[in-house]
């Protein structure tokens, strides 16, 4: 039974009577739309506002995007594009549409209603604009150079270390923004970079972090770092201890008279390092009291190509003779 009813319905859809009725409904619907969209309506439209024509040193200070609520009257056909798509922003020229008052640009509808009318075009009638006055605070853009602070965590493979120093293609960057904002910035940090088991030369790009509390531009926005990484070995030398600032008439006997220095050095330079390249000193002026019988030894001179220098013994005993 159900199959018969379904067959009859499908057969009816194919008849000339149904096709004619469908055409009638379509024409009626189109006529209704034409009637509706031909009528005049009053509605409120929201437009974003942009400002151009600013001098390069001027920086607008705004919270969010400024907007105008404009009430217009027009036929439905003319209003339809505004309902379906975001209206094109209204662009104000700082030199012709705004009045400068101290650190504020002022816009009023009474001075600029023609601009709004021109923006809407002849198809819409302007009824009202809210707010009828807008203010744009501004500051003068300034710039300064600040040092870059590398945030990194480098872990070298066993027996390897950086040779020389970490080189930056830019050790400082330009910060551009309002004077009050750039005054708060003393350095710019990089995005943290972690490298592990390093056994080859370092060559990496690092992005810079703009502080959240300020609205500034940074140029450049990335820097490159590079460094030589070599295989290192540990070296050992014995160096004589020198005592400086001994008062006239005072003779000292110290123990030990030599100390052992441990250091890391590039394998290629190992044979070039000897004891005379180092100087170890104790300062007699560092003695805190007459009862003190020792001084602290420090490495004062060392070759440029050694790293991680340390003394096996820092405490040097002495006796006045």
């Amino acid at each position: 039974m159900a199959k018969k009813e379904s067959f009859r319905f499908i057969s009816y859809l194919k008849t000339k009577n149904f096709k004619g009725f469908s055409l009638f409904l379509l024409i009626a619907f189109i006529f209704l739309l034409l009637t509706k969209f031909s009528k005049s309506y009053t509605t409120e439209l929201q437009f974003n506002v942009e400002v151009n024509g600013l001098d390069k040193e001027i920086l607008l200070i705004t919270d969010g995007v400024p907007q105008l609520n404009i009430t217009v009257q027009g036929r439905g056909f003319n209003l339809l594009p505004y309902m379906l798509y975001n209206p094109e922003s209204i662009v104000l020229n700082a030199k012709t549409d705004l009045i400068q008052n101290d650190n504020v640009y002022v816009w009023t509808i009474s001075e600029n209603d023609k601009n709004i009318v021109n923006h809407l075009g002849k198809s819409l009638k302007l009824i009202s604009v809210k707010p009828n006055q807008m203010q744009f605070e501004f500051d003068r853009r300034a710039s300064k150079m600040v040092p870059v602070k590398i945030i990194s965590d480098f872990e070298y493979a066993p027996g390897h270390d950086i040779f020389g120093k970490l080189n930056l293609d830019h050790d400082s960057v330009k910060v551009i923004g309002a004077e009050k904002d750039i005054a708060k910035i003393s350095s710019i940090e990089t995005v943290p970079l972690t490298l592990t088991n390093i056994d080859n030369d370092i060559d990496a790009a690092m992005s810079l972090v703009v502080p959240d509390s300020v609205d500034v531009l940074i140029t450049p926005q990335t820097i490159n770092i590079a460094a030589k990484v070599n295989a290192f070995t540990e070296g050992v030398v014995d160096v004589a201890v020198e005592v400086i600032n001994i008062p006239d008439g005072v003779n000292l006997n110290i123990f030990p008279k030599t100390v052992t220095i441990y250091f890391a050095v590039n394998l290629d330079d190992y044979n070039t390092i000897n004891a005379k390249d180092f100087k170890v000193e104790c300062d007699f002026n560092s003695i805190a009291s007459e009862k003190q019988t020792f001084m602290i030894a420090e490495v004062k001179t060392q070759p440029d190509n050694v790293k991680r220098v340390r003394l096996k013994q820092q405490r040097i005993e002495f006796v006045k003779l």
Side-chain angles (χ1 to χ4, degrees):
M1 184 68 178
K3 291 183 177 180
K4 290 182 178 181
E5 292 295 330
S6 176
F7 178 76
R8 289 176 182 174
F9 179 71
I10 294 174
S11 297
Y12 174 72
L13 293 179
K14 295 180 179 180
T15 63
K16 292 183 179 180
N17 289 337
F18 177 77
K19 292 180 179 179
F21 179 70
S22 299
L23 181 60
F24 170 77
L25 287 179
L26 179 61
I27 294 174
F29 179 72
I30 294 174
F31 179 77
L32 178 63
L33 287 179
L34 291 174
T35 303
K36 287 289 185 181
F37 283 112
S38 296
K39 291 183 179 180
S40 180
Y41 297 92
T42 299
T43 188
E44 185 178 83
L45 303 175
Q46 192 173 70
F47 292 82
N48 290 338
V49 176
E50 299 177 6
V51 178
N52 65 14
L54 295 166
D55 293 333
K56 290 184 178 180
E57 72 272 13
I58 298 298
L59 179 67
L60 288 184
I61 305 172
T62 59
D63 293 327
V65 179
Q67 295 177 330
L68 285 175
N69 295 314
I70 302 177
T71 301
V72 298
Q73 186 179 67
R75 295 185 180 277
F77 287 111
N78 297 324
L79 291 171
L80 184 60
Y82 293 94
M83 303 300 180
L84 297 177
Y85 308 102
N86 292 327
E88 184 179 350
S89 297
I90 294 176
V91 180
L92 305 179
N93 186 288
K95 294 181 172 61
T96 58
D97 301 329
L98 306 180
I99 299 174
Q100 183 177 341
N101 183 10
D102 294 329
N103 284 347
V104 175
Y105 282 117
V106 179
W107 175 90
T108 58
I109 183 59
S110 60
E111 298 291 334
N112 294 275
D113 57 337
K114 291 183 180 179
N115 289 351
I116 301 298
V117 170
N118 291 336
H119 185 82
L120 295 174
K122 297 180 179 180
S123 60
L124 297 179
K125 180 181 179 181
L126 175 63
I127 304 300
S128 66
V129 178
K130 295 180 181 179
N132 55 23
Q133 178 176 294
M134 300 182 72
Q135 293 188 350
F136 302 90
E137 293 186 29
F138 71 89
D139 199 350
R140 296 196 176 276
R141 196 187 300 265
S143 66
K144 70 176 182 180
M145 301 296 293
V146 297
V148 174
K149 184 177 181 181
I150 302 295
I151 306 299
S152 63
D153 182 12
F154 293 166
E155 180 183 328
Y156 296 92
H160 290 74
D161 207 334
I162 186 172
F163 182 70
K165 63 179 182 178
L166 191 65
N167 297 307
L168 288 66
D169 64 345
H170 292 86
D171 59 2
S172 59
V173 293
K174 180 180 287 188
V175 180
I176 305 170
E179 290 182 356
K180 65 177 183 179
D181 283 335
I182 68 171
K184 302 175 184 176
I185 301 175
S186 58
S187 64
I188 291 294
E189 294 184 351
T190 63
V191 174
L193 175 64
T194 300
L195 299 175
T196 58
N197 201 36
I198 304 171
D199 58 4
N200 289 311
D201 293 345
I202 297 171
D203 187 1
M206 301 185 73
S207 298
L208 302 176
V209 180
V210 179
D212 293 334
S213 59
V214 294
D215 182 16
V216 297
L217 299 175
I218 297 175
T219 180
Q221 296 181 342
T222 61
I223 64 168
N224 290 318
I225 61 171
K228 288 286 187 181
V229 174
N230 286 347
F232 276 70
T233 188
E234 187 172 69
V236 180
V237 291
D238 291 325
V239 179
V241 178
E242 299 180 29
V243 181
I244 62 173
N245 294 321
I246 301 175
D248 293 338
V250 175
N251 294 314
L252 297 179
N253 188 16
I254 63 173
F255 179 82
K257 290 181 171 52
T258 62
V259 291
T260 300
I261 296 178
Y262 298 96
F263 58 90
V265 62
N266 178 24
L267 282 173
D268 294 338
D269 295 335
Y270 180 78
N271 292 326
T272 67
I273 305 299
N274 55 58
K276 68 179 183 180
D277 298 322
F278 297 85
K279 178 182 283 189
V280 178
E281 291 181 352
C282 291
D283 190 348
F284 188 87
N285 289 338
S286 66
I287 299 173
S289 68
E290 288 290 333
K291 296 181 180 181
Q292 184 173 321
T293 60
F294 67 89
M295 296 175 288
I296 301 299
E298 296 181 0
V299 179
K300 293 296 185 179
T301 302
Q302 66 185 59
D304 293 335
N305 54 349
V306 301
K307 300 170 65 68
R308 299 194 297 275
V309 176
R310 59 187 175 88
L311 290 171
K312 180 179 181 181
Q313 179 180 344
Q314 285 188 288
R315 181 166 169 149
I316 305 299
E317 305 289 340
F318 73 86
V319 176
K320 293 182 181 180
L321 301 177

